[in-house]
Each structure stands twice: as C-alpha cells, then as structure tokens.
Amino acid sequence: MANKQVWTATGRRKRAIAQVRMTGGTGNITINGVAIDEYMPNKMLIMDIKQPLVETNNENRFDIDVKVNGGGYSGQAGAIRLGITRALLSFDANTDQSREDSYRHILKNAGFIKRDPRVKERKKYGLRKARRAPQFSKR
C-alpha cells in the first residue's frame, strides 16, 4: 500500500476551530464525516470555503477532510477556509515564494492568509450586553 502524502493545517474564526487534512484526490470535501453540500446550509458558505481552491486552480486536485467544532456555520466556514489556505501553503512550501504564480502570492493578494481577529466582546457587569446599558430614568 502506497503511503499518501497528507498536508494538515488548523484554521480559527470567532469560536470555531477547524482541523483540515488535505490529500491528493478528486475534489471531495467532507466536514465531520458528512459531504459539504449536506453539512453547510447555504451555498454562499460553500463558495466561501472553496475560494482558496478556486483561486489556485485546485478544485479537483485534492480531497479534503475537515473536523470542525464550535461557533456557528459562518464562523465554521471562515475557519475551514483559513485551514484550507494554510494546507495549500504547506503543499506549496518548496517552491520559490517570490514568484508571481506561487500560492502564497495568489492567496495573499486575495486576502485569505490573514486570520480575522474579530470575536464577540464579553459582557460587563451592570450592563445588559457588552456595551448596552440599562435604560436611564430621570424620574
């Protein structure tokens, strides 16, 4: 049995954490053991997940297996996209990164490499939410 090469990466977004395993294959994406079309409720989220593969022309080149937990569907989609991006960068690590056709150059110009740091702000005591104060009554 031939030993397949595997590229792994982790992506995070809001409260979601995604562990991505990428192997050579035909373009199948499974999330938590379920096909991507059955797991994600929205076609826009599926398109968002596949963007790094589309930008680098690898839609049908890799099989991707994802384990994701935490957060909602949007946060999970962002975490998976970052994980796929990092896996593609580890796949392309041996090429010259200064070239215009390197994956790093393509994905960086598309804005996929940077992690989105926005998370929910914690609730403070005496307030209703993070910043929402109770209604003021003068009398």
Side-chain angles (χ1 to χ4, degrees), residues 38-88:
E38 297 172 21
Y39 187 84
M40 285 290 165
N42 191 343
K43 297 293 181 195
M44 290 299 290
L45 295 177
I46 295 171
M47 190 177 76
D48 189 38
I49 290 171
K50 291 182 178 181
Q51 275 182 328
L53 297 170
V54 172
E55 289 288 324
T56 57
N57 296 321
N58 288 318
E59 300 101 316
N60 300 321
R61 187 172 176 186
F62 298 109
D63 285 339
I64 298 172
D65 184 36
V66 180
K67 290 180 186 173
V68 65
N69 59 8
Y73 287 115
S74 177
Q76 287 183 354
I80 294 168
R81 183 176 82 170
L82 181 61
I84 291 173
T85 300
R86 288 178 173 172
L88 284 170

Side-chain angles (χ1 to χ4, degrees), residues 103-113:
Y103 287 175
R104 181 162 191 83
H105 188 268
I106 294 168
L107 295 170
K108 187 170 181 133
N109 286 343
F112 297 148
I113 293 178

Side-chain angles (χ1 to χ4, degrees), residues 82-102:
L82 181 61
I84 291 173
T85 300
R86 288 178 173 172
L88 284 170
L89 290 177
S90 66
F91 165 75
D92 195 46
N94 295 332
T95 62
D96 182 19
Q97 300 301 320
S98 62
R99 292 177 39 182
E100 294 285 323
D101 61 341
S102 71

